[in-house]
């Protein structure tokens, strides 16, 4: 089928046929329509492909055929301008000549979540992480060369892990030698992985290599993860895994050693704002204004208006999660209210009333759990009462168990304060008892007060470090540990007394008792002053 325009100067009107939808349009809008028609056609194909495997050989996002169409559009536009006046058709009404409103192609499919609809398919469309995927970086250079390494993408939700996998899927489509398969550990098991490997071995006969993307790979236990190991090692498949958990704990060391770990941080507020603005402009969802009162008439009476400050607030509230930001934007636009009698609008106050910050990145079994507890103790150790209060409150706000925080405060009272203020331990234990009695949310102030009190207390780590030296001495002892001196042993029976247990023991001070209280050979060791132990 030829994908070129048919220019018929014998028509009664200067209409040109679109090679995609085969409808006719006037010269003034034909080029704009074809570009939009190509875009819609490509988006439809991408949505269908996302529903299944990415292993088919298809055209790229902008295929060679599409490029030829654009060239034809430019050619037709130029040719039509050069037609003699006698061959031009009589003037028609604007409605007859344009036939279909050009705003038709700017709407997105509302049956698909906006976050999924806007998922990037090209490397240059990725927002953020320029230190990893930006030009000149190793990963960027490899992907540009269509070379995909074994890698584990580790980062919080909504930071771009699946988006990068989507970019890799589109790279695979451009080459007949690559096949992309997407699985999720939440919906499949070892049998599905074995089927993919079986197909990959068959594809190797036709010189096609399989790239397997395993989402939520940490959901596989370490025994299940062994399924990947021999095939990654032999090169049957290239594994791209995505996880929100620390790979050091959630993945096999053998598998981890064969994959490059890519750490993705949360997106910055500026990155999220950029994503939101790009989404609005690309899909013509609204007009972004600094203030609603500055609205211009050319926006149109049916155009939705949204304040720039509203987008910034959404970006700040999503905690670096672009998926949540786009979901909130979609909810906001669907609940828009008129600014005056005819213009829909979205104000900052309305967003604040309708969308509350109900999520904070906090997993009571994940890295954030230990990171925040570590931040609490280190803030107390540094006597920073302000920071100690912040981290304690943030842990509670994220859903941390208050009893766990109280137990850690007891440990801190001994480890970092110690004999500098012995009453700190008493108050920390009292805090734990109080939390057990009244629970949340009333016990939040108990924990806050205890954290601040410990931060302001004088510090002494003398006992803690002395204990660590004793532990080191015990680990370094060769052979059996030295025996307990006879005069220190307990003698509850007559036989033990006859054997010399407790012989010579007295209750006097060590300076006048004439006894030693450490094993033989350690009399000169002082764990409080000797940094080298024994």
């Amino acid at each position: 089928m030829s994908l070129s325009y048919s220019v018929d100067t014998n028509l009664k009107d200067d209409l040109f046929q679109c090679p995609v939808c085969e409808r006719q349009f006037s010269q003034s809008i034909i080029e704009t329509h074809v570009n939009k028609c190509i875009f819609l056609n490509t988006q439809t194909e991408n949505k269908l492909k996302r529903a299944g495997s990415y292993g088919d050989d298809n055209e790229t996002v902008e295929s060679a055929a599409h490029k030829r169409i654009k060239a034809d559009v430019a050619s037709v536009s130029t040719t039509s301008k050069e037609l003699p006046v006698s061959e031009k058709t009589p003037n028609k009404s604007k409605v007859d000549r344009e036939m279909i409103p050009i705003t038709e192609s700017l709407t997105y499919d509302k049956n698909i979540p906006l976050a999924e609809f806007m998922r990037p398919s090209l490397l240059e469309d990725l927002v953020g992480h320029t230190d990893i995927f930006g030009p000149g970086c190793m990963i960027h250079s490899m992907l540009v060369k269509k070379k995909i390494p074994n890698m584990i993408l580790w980062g919080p939700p909504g930071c771009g892990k699946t988006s990068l996998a989507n970019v890799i899927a589109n790279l695979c489509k451009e080459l007949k030698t690559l096949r992309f398969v997407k699985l999720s550990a939440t919906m499949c098991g070892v049998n599905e992985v074995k089927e993919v490997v079986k197909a990959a071995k068959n594809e190797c006969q036709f010189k096609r290599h399989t790239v397997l993307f395993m989402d939520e790979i940490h959901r596989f236990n370490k025994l299940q993860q062994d399924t990947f190991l021999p095939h990654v090692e032999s090169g049957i498949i290239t594994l791209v895994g995505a996880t929100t958990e620390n790979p050091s704990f959630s993945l096999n060391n053998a598998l981890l050693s064969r994959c490059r770990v890519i750490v993705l941080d949360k997106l910055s507020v500026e990155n999220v704002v950029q994503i939101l603005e790009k989404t609005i402009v690309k899909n013509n969802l609204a007009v972004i204004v600094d203030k609603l009162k500055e609205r211009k008439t050319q926006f149109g009476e049916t155009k939705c208006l949204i304040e720039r400050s509203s987008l910034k607030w959404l970006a700040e509230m999503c905690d670096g999660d672009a998926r949540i930001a786009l979901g909130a934007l979609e909810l906001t636009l669907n609940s828009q209210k008129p600014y005056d009698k005819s213009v829909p609008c979205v104000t900052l106050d309305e967003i604040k009333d309708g969308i509350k910050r109900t999520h904070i990145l906090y997993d009571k079994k994940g890295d954030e759990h230990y990171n925040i507890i570590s931040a609490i103790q280190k803030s107390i150790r540094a006597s920073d009462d302000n920071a100690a209060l912040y981290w304690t409150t943030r842990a509670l706000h994220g859903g941390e168990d208050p009893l766990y925080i109280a137990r850690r405060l007891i440990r801190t009272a001994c480890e970092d304060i110690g004999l500098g203020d012995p009453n700190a331990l008493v108050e920390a234990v009292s805090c734990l008892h109080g939390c057990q009695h009244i629970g949340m949310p009333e016990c939040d102030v108990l924990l806050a007060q205890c954290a601040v009190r410990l931060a302001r207390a004088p510090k002494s780590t003398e006992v803690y470090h002395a204990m660590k030296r004793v532990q080191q001495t015990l680990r370094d002892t060769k052979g059996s540990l030295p025996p307990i001196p006879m005069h220190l042993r307990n003698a509850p029976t007559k036989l033990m007394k006859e054997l010399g247990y407790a012989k010579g023991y007295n209750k006097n001070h060590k300076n006048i008792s004439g006894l030693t209280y450490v094993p033989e050979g350690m009399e000169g060791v002082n764990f409080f002053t000797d940094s080298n132990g024994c």
Side-chain angles (χ1 to χ4, degrees), residues 446-512:
L446 275 71
L447 293 167
Q449 177 177 312
C450 184
V452 172
R453 189 260 186 266
L454 296 182
R456 294 178 177 178
K459 308 297 188 295
S460 172
T461 59
E462 180 186 19
V463 175
Y464 173 72
H465 288 298
M467 179 193 70
K468 301 297 287 185
R469 295 185 188 112
V470 174
Q471 292 173 344
Q472 185 63 43
T473 299
L474 295 174
R475 286 192 295 268
D476 294 343
T477 300
K478 298 179 180 179
S480 59
L481 294 175
I484 300 173
M486 296 295 289
H487 58 274
L488 296 181
R489 299 187 184 185
N490 187 30
T493 66
K494 181 178 180 181
L495 176 61
M496 290 181 174
K497 291 179 180 179
E498 292 175 351
L499 292 175
Y501 282 36
K503 184 178 180 179
Y505 173 73
N506 60 74
K507 300 181 180 180
N508 296 326
H509 189 272
K510 66 175 184 177
N511 292 336
I512 61 175

Side-chain angles (χ1 to χ4, degrees), residues 4 13 18 78 89 110 117 138 140 155 157 178-179 185 234 246 248 252 282 327 332 349 356 397 417 488 498 500 526:
S4 60
D13 193 7
C18 171
T78 304
T89 58
K110 294 187 178 181
F117 186 83
M138 184 182 67
H140 181 275
L178 290 178
R179 170 175 171 267
S234 63
N246 191 330
S248 301
N252 275 344
K282 185 174 181 179
T332 300
D349 292 337
K356 304 298 181 182
H397 189 69
I417 297 173
L488 296 181
E498 292 175 351
N526 188 334

Side-chain angles (χ1 to χ4, degrees), residues 44 55 64 173 192 219-220 226 236 278 313 388 407 424 445 461 463 469 494 497 500 516 523-524 530:
T44 302
K173 295 175 195 175
E192 286 80 359
R219 298 291 186 95
F220 273 8
D226 287 336
I236 296 296
K278 181 179 179 181
W313 187 86
R407 290 193 295 269
V445 67
T461 59
V463 175
R469 295 185 188 112
K494 181 178 180 181
K497 291 179 180 179
T516 58
E523 291 83 0
D530 189 356

Side-chain angles (χ1 to χ4, degrees), residues 129-270:
H129 311 301
T130 54
D131 56 329
I132 300 175
F133 306 122
C137 297
M138 184 182 67
I139 297 297
H140 181 275
S141 300
M142 294 185 71
L143 294 179
V144 168
K145 295 178 181 178
K146 310 297 189 295
K147 294 181 180 180
I148 304 170
N150 293 300
M151 54 185 170
I152 302 296
L153 307 176
W154 172 32
C159 68
K161 301 185 296 296
T162 309
S163 294
L164 177 61
N166 195 52
V167 170
I168 294 175
N170 281 275
L171 291 176
C172 293
K173 295 175 195 175
E174 298 179 7
L175 300 176
K176 293 184 178 180
T177 57
L178 290 178
R179 170 175 171 267
F180 187 89
V181 179
K182 178 181 178 180
L183 294 177
S184 175
T186 61
M187 302 176 63
C188 72
V190 173
N191 291 335
E192 286 80 359
V193 175
K194 290 181 178 179
E195 288 296 326
V196 171
V197 172
K198 182 179 179 181
K201 291 179 179 178
N202 184 61
E203 292 291 337
C204 287
Q205 300 176 11
F206 304 98
K207 297 183 179 180
R208 295 187 71 197
H209 184 70
T210 299
V211 178
L212 173 60
F213 173 64
M214 178 58 69
D215 200 9
E216 307 291 343
I217 192 173
H218 62 273
R219 298 291 186 95
F220 273 8
N221 59 45
K222 295 192 175 182
L223 183 61
Q224 291 173 309
Q225 292 171 20
D226 287 336
T227 308
F228 300 109
L229 189 57
H231 311 297
V232 171
E233 190 170 10
S234 63
I236 296 296
I237 62 173
T238 293
L239 178 64
V240 179
T243 177
T244 57
E245 301 292 337
N246 191 330
S248 301
F249 305 125
S250 59
L251 297 184
N252 275 344
N253 290 333
L255 182 61
L256 205 58
S257 66
R258 290 162 175 79
C259 299
R260 178 180 176 84
V261 177
I262 307 297
V263 182
L264 303 178
D265 295 324
K266 292 189 235 180
L267 294 172
S268 66
V269 173
E270 292 75 16

Side-chain angles (χ1 to χ4, degrees), residues 356-503:
K356 304 298 181 182
R357 183 170 187 166
T358 58
H359 77 285
I360 286 184
L361 180 61
Y362 196 86
D363 182 356
K364 290 191 287 185
K365 295 183 180 180
D367 272 357
E368 287 299 298
H369 165 77
Y370 298 103
N371 289 340
I372 288 188
I373 289 299
S374 176
I376 293 174
Q377 184 167 357
K378 289 175 180 176
S379 299
I380 292 174
R381 182 179 298 155
S383 297
D384 191 332
D385 52 354
N386 188 60
L389 176 62
Y390 170 79
W391 292 117
T392 302
T393 306
R394 175 165 163 176
L396 291 171
H397 189 69
E400 182 58 84
D401 181 5
L403 298 183
Y404 176 75
I405 299 176
R407 290 193 295 269
R408 296 306 304 175
L409 292 178
I410 293 175
R411 167 73 185 195
T412 303
C414 293
E415 179 179 333
D416 297 302
I417 297 173
L419 298 179
D421 186 354
N423 286 331
L425 176 59
V426 177
E427 295 184 25
V429 173
S430 298
C431 176
L432 174 62
H433 291 163
C435 292
Q436 290 173 333
H437 284 299
I438 64 177
M440 281 291 287
E442 288 82 1
C443 72
D444 55 356
V445 67
L446 275 71
L447 293 167
Q449 177 177 312
C450 184
V452 172
R453 189 260 186 266
L454 296 182
R456 294 178 177 178
K459 308 297 188 295
S460 172
T461 59
E462 180 186 19
V463 175
Y464 173 72
H465 288 298
M467 179 193 70
K468 301 297 287 185
R469 295 185 188 112
V470 174
Q471 292 173 344
Q472 185 63 43
T473 299
L474 295 174
R475 286 192 295 268
D476 294 343
T477 300
K478 298 179 180 179
S480 59
L481 294 175
I484 300 173
M486 296 295 289
H487 58 274
L488 296 181
R489 299 187 184 185
N490 187 30
T493 66
K494 181 178 180 181
L495 176 61
M496 290 181 174
K497 291 179 180 179
E498 292 175 351
L499 292 175
Y501 282 36
K503 184 178 180 179

Side-chain angles (χ1 to χ4, degrees), residues 11-37:
L11 294 176
K12 294 182 179 179
D13 193 7
D14 54 341
L15 299 180
F16 303 99
Q17 185 178 23
C18 171
V20 180
C21 64
E22 298 184 350
R23 289 180 289 185
Q24 293 183 336
F25 297 87
S26 64
Q27 171 193 342
S28 61
I29 68 167
I30 183 63
E31 184 172 357
T32 302
H33 167 78
V34 172
N35 288 333
K36 295 169 184 175
C37 204

